[in-house]
Every structure is written in C-alpha cells, then in structure tokens.
Amino acid sequence: MEQNKPFRVIVSGGGTGGHIFPAVSIANAIKKQHPEAEILFVGAEGRMEMQRVPAAGYKIVGLPVRGLVRPLWSYKNIGVMLDFFKSERMVKKIIRDFKPHVAVGVGGYASAPTLNAAYALGIPCLIQEQNSYAGVTNRSLAKKAKKVCVAYSGMSRFFPADKIVITGNPVRQNLLDTKISKAEARKSFGLDPDKKTVLIVGGSLGARTMNESVLSHLDGIRESGVQFIWQTGKYYSQHISEELSKVETIENLKVMDFISSMDNAYAAADIVVSRAGASSISELCLLRKPCILVPSPNVAEDHQTKNAQALSDRDAAIFVADKDAKRNLITLAIETVKDDARLASLSANVKMLAFFDSADVIAEEVYKLAVEYKNQNKQN
C-alpha cells in the first residue's frame, strides 16, 4: 500500500470488556503501525462499547442489534430478527460511505450484521476469537472470513484450518507496562508490603458465587495471616457492606466495589482468584500469575469452563467449579498462597501459554488483507 495513503478499517463487536479490550488493542496496534489508518467501530446500541470506545479515542456507530430471547420460539424474537435485518441495512450504508478495505469482528451482537454486510459487499473479513470454545457468532461467520485469529490450539474443529492464525488474545497494554514493585503495589492498597496477598476479582460487575465464598469464610480470612484484595462488583457492594457491618473489622481484607488500577492489583497479588473469561486468562498468562479459576456457569455454551480446563489440564491454573466454590475456594486460596513451590510451578506453567505481541500480529494480518483488497480493486 502506498506510503501515507490511508487504509480504512471497520472493527465490530463488544457487549463485554472481554470483547472490547481486544478490539481497542487491535485498533491501537493498527494506528501504531500505520498512523494514517482510519478506523471506525460498529457496536450495539446501549452496550458498554458505546462508552468505552469513544473513551479510547475512536468513533463508533451503534446498531439496534440485540440478542435472541429464550426460549427461542418466543414471539419477542420476531422483533429481534427485524432489528438484525435493519442493522444489516444500516451497516451496508455505513460501508458504502466509509469504504473500508477490511472488516474485523471480535464477537458480540454487532459482529454478525457487520461482517455479513461486509462480506456481501466484497470487503475481506477477519475474525478474532478469544475463547477455546468458539462462540456461535464467530462460528457462523467462519465461512465468510479470510482469516481467523485464535488464542488456543485445536480450533480447526470450529474453523477451516487454512484460515487459522494462532495469535493469542490482545490485552490491556497498561497491565504489561507497569513498573511498580510488589511491595509498592501492596502499599497503594494500604496493605502490609511483606505479607502474602490474594486478589479476588469477579469482573467489573462482580460474581455472586465468589462474593458468597468470601462472606462464608470471614473468620478463616481473619485468622489466615494472609491479605486479601476483594473486588465485589458495584452490583453487590451495598449488600456486602451491610454484611460486613455486622462483624468486627477485618484488617487483612481490603474491600473495593471496583478496582480502577488493575495493574497495581495484579502486581500486589501472589495468586489471583478469577472468573475464566478469555481476556482475564490472557492477562494472567502474560503476567505469569498463579491463579485459581472459577468459571461462570452463566455464559454461552459454558465456554469459561473450557477456557479454564485448557489451563488446568496443563497444571497452569487451579480449577474450582462454581458449585464447589462456596465450600472450598477460600480455604484452597489460603493453602496455595502459602505454598511457595506450588506458586512457582503454576507461574512457570502459565507463562508457557502466553502469547506476546498479539495485537501487533493481528494488526499485521489486518493490513495484509487491506493491501490485497486495494491491489485487487485498484482503489484508494
């Protein structure tokens, strides 16, 4: 592609941080490699990408697309399908106006109508699949994509093998750039810089099972000799505050509804207790963090369990089923964080699963498709 001639990219998807973080990371990598690139995001109206993407400095257009209602035979799905077809028509107009050279889908409601429309108009498509078990949207789009970037081996059971590029998942760059020491990170949370520390994080909205696990073991935490940083999620924060007000203050338990400085939180922790979303796992691998994974049972096709098993099968994480967490999780976390040999083993094994420079590799694949398209169409 001619130097300084802009190439245009549409990036679609979202709905959760697990889709938005990779999408923004890919866009940032494209702009870093090709400052002249023009990038337009397409999201779903009312979903978090409509705030997060502009905050990252990119323009986004919203579609009325939404998810199917259960049960599938519900009459409400008539409206869902009408909105889907309306979204496809809207995207076709967006594509004709923006004239992209390539379209990128990261999963989420907006990906399907966007990539369907792009394919219909002859625009090359790239899919980025974060999970070890491919989502239904990306599976349905696989035939239309020229490239499928994945984070796990064995994905040929979902996608044509000749289209697959193993890239890993892009993660939030600030997590990798932090230079803070473990002691300084602990001090930033008002904790003892020398004590073993467990980080419990259930996502920005929280995780009820993990919160109940903590509330059920407050005495064990108090007497453990271990520090805990606990992100409850804003949805649960009031209930948890009420429950904690009934007991004596636990000095070694730092409770927060939301942790804005996740780089410091990871740095402070000897072990992380987390859900098993693809982005979280990729971050833990890159940061070499020993972890206990408690997959959410409330996700499509139980993909978090499959993500967690992909690590636990290689002794790169400890797997705890959601149904067992309330009984076992906190005791297991305390035992493990005191076992230096176990922590070292988990750290070494999880590091082996890390992919570095994922966003840069995906950006290069995006650029290749754009060059190919421009050469074939002899257009700017």
Side-chain angles (χ1 to χ4, degrees):
M1 200 175 293
E2 294 177 51
Q3 190 70 23
N4 297 323
K5 283 279 190 179
F7 82 100
R8 294 178 291 276
V9 186
I10 276 184
V11 181
S12 65
T16 66
H19 288 136
I20 297 165
F21 294 144
V24 170
S25 294
I26 293 166
N28 289 343
I30 292 170
K31 291 293 282 186
K32 182 178 73 174
Q33 294 174 14
H34 305 280
E36 78 285 359
E38 297 175 5
I39 300 173
L40 176 66
F41 279 74
V42 178
E45 291 174 356
R47 306 293 288 185
M48 69 165 65
E49 61 263 28
M50 300 307 293
Q51 284 77 45
R52 297 283 181 89
V53 169
Y58 296 100
K59 183 179 178 183
I60 187 167
V61 180
L63 304 177
V65 66
R66 51 202 168 102
L68 291 168
V69 177
R70 306 286 177 179
L72 292 178
W73 44 259
S74 169
Y75 73 91
K76 294 179 181 177
N77 282 325
I78 297 172
V80 173
M81 294 310 298
L82 290 173
D83 282 342
F84 183 88
F85 294 128
K86 179 182 178 182
S87 296
E88 278 197 346
R89 291 194 301 273
M90 289 174 65
V91 177
K92 284 183 178 178
K93 183 178 187 310
I94 291 166
I95 289 172
R96 290 189 181 105
D97 291 343
F98 185 64
K99 297 181 174 61
H101 303 110
V102 60
V104 178
V106 298
Y109 296 144
S111 277
T114 303
L115 267 64
N116 279 342
Y119 177 79
L121 294 172
I123 307 299
C125 300
L126 178 145
I127 292 171
Q128 199 262 325
E129 172 57 59
Q130 295 100 29
N131 293 294
S132 62
Y133 192 90
V136 64
T137 298
N138 279 349
R139 292 204 309 271
S140 70
L141 293 168
K143 290 180 181 177
K144 299 173 181 178
K146 284 188 173 283
K147 291 287 181 182
V148 182
C149 296
V150 301
Y152 295 88
S153 58
M155 297 300 284
S156 57
R157 66 192 193 275
F158 303 114
F159 305 118
D162 61 334
K163 296 182 178 181
I164 292 174
V165 184
I166 300 180
T167 61
N169 284 323
V171 302
R172 293 172 282 185
Q173 191 62 39
N174 67 308
L175 298 179
L176 305 179
D177 293 342
T178 184
K179 299 294 191 291
I180 193 169
S181 70
K182 185 171 282 188
E184 290 169 333
R186 289 172 181 168
K187 285 180 182 178
S188 75
F189 289 97
L191 297 174
D192 187 323
D194 300 317
K195 274 191 177 179
K196 288 291 184 73
T197 303
V198 178
L199 169 64
I200 300 178
V201 55
S204 57
L205 298 178
R208 185 174 63 184
T209 301
M210 292 163 71
N211 289 340
E212 289 176 348
S213 300
V214 177
L215 290 174
S216 299
H217 291 80
L218 293 176
D219 289 338
I221 290 170
R222 190 195 308 276
E223 298 162 8
S224 67
V226 171
Q227 299 175 137
F228 284 75
I229 302 171
W230 176 23
Q231 179 178 276
T232 65
K234 294 184 179 180
Y235 182 79
Y236 300 100
S237 61
Q238 184 175 344
H239 167 70
I240 287 168
S241 294
E242 291 169 358
E243 292 299 309
L244 291 176
S245 69
K246 300 173 185 176
V247 301
E248 185 182 341
T249 300
I250 304 173
E251 299 294 344
N252 56 327
L253 179 63
K254 176 71 174 180
V255 186
M256 307 173 74
D257 61 354
F258 179 73
I259 300 173
S260 56
S261 53
M262 277 304 299
D263 49 347
N264 287 5
Y266 278 137
D270 294 290
I271 192 167
V272 179
V273 180
S274 173
R275 286 304 200 189
S279 289
S280 297
I281 286 178
S282 295
E283 291 171 356
L284 293 166
C285 290
L286 283 164
L287 296 170
R288 310 174 191 179
K289 282 294 170 184
C291 56
I292 300 174
L293 299 175
V294 187
S296 171
N298 307 312
V299 295
E301 296 160 311
D302 200 24
H303 67 258
Q304 285 203 9
T305 294
K306 298 175 179 74
N307 290 348
Q309 287 173 336
L311 270 70
S312 63
D313 287 349
R314 301 187 187 193
D315 197 31
I318 298 171
F319 177 101
V320 174
D322 190 81
K323 63 182 177 61
D324 300 326
K326 191 171 179 180
R327 183 174 69 255
N328 300 332
L329 179 60
I330 299 304
T331 302
L332 181 60
I334 293 169
E335 290 174 355
T336 307
V337 81
K338 292 179 178 180
D339 185 342
D340 288 337
R342 183 73 173 123
L343 291 178
S345 173
L346 287 167
S347 178
N349 291 339
V350 81
K351 176 191 172 186
M352 292 172 64
L353 301 179
F355 286 90
F356 294 89
D357 304 318
S358 294
D360 289 328
V361 175
I362 295 168
E364 289 167 5
E365 294 294 332
V366 172
Y367 185 69
K368 288 177 193 173
L369 291 179
V371 170
E372 182 182 322
Y373 176 78
K374 289 191 78 169
N375 288 341
Q376 288 174 353
N377 290 271
K378 302 297 181 188
Q379 61 142 298
N380 295 324

